[in-house]
Amino acid sequence: MSRERDDEGKYTEMATIDAVLDVLASTDDPVLTSSEVAEAIGVSSETARRKLTELHDQGLVKRKEVGARAVVWWTVEEA
């Protein structure tokens, strides 16, 4: 998979906040792992985890540790 570049030759960001939110909103699963989000967007698990953490810090997603190293993520329901 080749990455696109902008007019200045810089790589375009694939893991945008909107892309991550779209993945979480469009799944039939109640929760996703960062690996599942990463696969859907086409980025590394670490990149997806950073974006999910950023969304968590903004209060837009919630997270729960479900194992020794496993974390699941979901969107916050709007009132």
Side-chain angles (χ1 to χ4, degrees):
M1 166 199 234
S2 72
R3 292 179 56 194
E4 293 183 26
R5 294 180 183 258
D6 64 14
D7 293 338
E8 297 176 0
K10 296 177 184 175
Y11 285 118
T12 57
E13 183 177 28
M14 295 172 63
T16 64
I17 295 295
D18 288 337
V20 173
L21 288 172
D22 287 346
V23 169
L24 290 171
S26 66
T27 184
D28 290 333
D29 295 324
V31 297
L32 292 175
T33 65
S34 59
S35 294
E36 291 170 318
V37 172
E39 185 176 330
I41 300 172
V43 297
S44 71
S45 294
E46 179 61 24
T47 297
R49 187 195 60 75
R50 281 195 311 269
K51 290 296 180 178
L52 286 161
T53 299
E54 184 179 333
L55 287 165
H56 181 262
D57 292 345
Q58 295 174 14
L60 298 173
V61 300
K62 291 191 177 184
R63 63 172 284 188
K64 181 176 183 176
E65 293 181 22
V66 293
R69 294 178 21 176
V71 176
V72 293
W73 305 83
W74 65 94
T75 57
V76 173
E77 296 289 327
E78 294 187 27

